[in-house]
Amino acid sequence: MSRLRTRDGDRERYFIQRRQTHSARSFASILAAVLVALICLYLMFEAAVKSIGQDVWIKSPEQWWAWLAALPHEASRGLVGAGSLVVLLLGLYFLFQGLLPGRKARRAIEIDRAIVIVDHEVLAATLARRARTEANVSPEQVVVAVAHGHVDVQVRPTSGIPVDAEAISAAVADELAENLIDPVPPVTVRVADTGVVGQ
């Protein structure tokens, strides 16, 4: 019984973490549903108008079908090109929404009794503080960018004072480990060629 509860708890924990770290597909689903509904409503309206003997609004469903079957000869090149581009962009959008993981700029920290979600901006600020302490520079001289697969640290040293890139990389990696980031992503430290005067 305890094993079953543990498995259910792990499954629930996984889904909570995934909900907080991955973007939902609701917008893409709503957009697709609205487009399909509008097309269907329009075709139903044209069919209803034709069935009561009134003039169609634009074209009847049969005329639309004949027009589509006669493409591209029955339409101007500009119209066909613009329509094809719109359909291509919509298709690529929905394809990428379905295939890409849709990760947010967040990551989960593994703690036994809680679920902790950290924004990459917050983590970057923490790492920047550690990097500038190690490099002995001002806050304006360090920029940290955190991604899912790596951490990029850019340092502008003070003129005349050397900076040890390996020590900064080790300090940032140690800060990641202390914050329970597992696995620790690779850290890249870039030191600018030109220093900052008067910092």
Side-chain angles (χ1 to χ4, degrees):
M1 187 69 178
S2 60
R3 290 183 180 179
L4 181 59
R5 288 179 179 175
T6 302
R7 291 176 183 175
D8 291 340
D10 291 342
R11 188 178 300 121
E12 183 179 359
R13 180 190 184 96
Y14 168 78
F15 284 120
I16 292 174
Q17 287 183 357
R18 184 169 180 83
R19 189 183 314 129
Q20 294 298 321
T21 56
H22 290 72
S23 59
R25 302 292 192 245
S26 57
F27 177 76
S29 302
I30 292 171
L31 179 61
V34 168
L35 290 175
V36 172
L38 288 176
I39 293 172
C40 292
L41 286 173
Y42 166 72
L43 292 176
M44 289 174 60
F45 172 76
E46 293 286 20
V49 168
K50 184 182 178 182
S51 66
I52 61 176
Q54 300 293 326
D55 293 334
V56 294
W57 188 32
I58 300 177
K59 288 183 180 181
S60 66
E62 293 85 359
Q63 290 173 329
W64 279 117
W65 181 257
W67 180 79
L68 288 173
L71 287 177
H73 303 293
E74 295 297 326
S76 64
R77 293 182 179 179
L79 180 61
V80 172
S84 301
L85 181 61
V86 170
V87 172
L88 175 64
L89 292 177
L90 283 174
L92 289 176
Y93 172 74
F94 289 120
L95 178 65
F96 290 148
Q97 286 293 316
L99 295 180
L100 295 179
R103 290 182 176 177
K104 296 180 181 178
R106 300 174 180 175
R107 65 176 65 232
I109 296 178
E110 295 295 334
I111 300 178
D112 292 336
R113 296 186 178 182
I115 299 174
V116 179
I117 307 296
V118 180
D119 286 337
H120 282 179
E121 293 180 1
V122 175
L123 184 60
T126 303
L127 299 178
R129 183 172 61 249
R130 180 68 180 269
R132 72 173 178 258
T133 301
E134 183 67 30
N136 194 23
V137 295
S138 63
E140 295 80 11
Q141 294 174 249
V142 177
V143 176
V144 177
V146 177
H148 288 284
H150 63 89
V151 174
D152 187 19
V153 181
Q154 297 181 2
V155 180
R156 293 188 64 194
T158 304
S159 296
I161 302 177
V163 172
D164 188 353
E166 293 184 0
I168 296 173
S169 178
V172 171
D174 180 65
E175 186 70 20
L176 288 167
E178 287 183 2
N179 282 275
L180 304 179
I181 304 300
D182 185 33
V184 175
V187 179
T188 302
V189 178
R190 297 183 179 132
V191 180
D193 296 332
T194 59
V196 177
V197 179
Q199 295 289 338

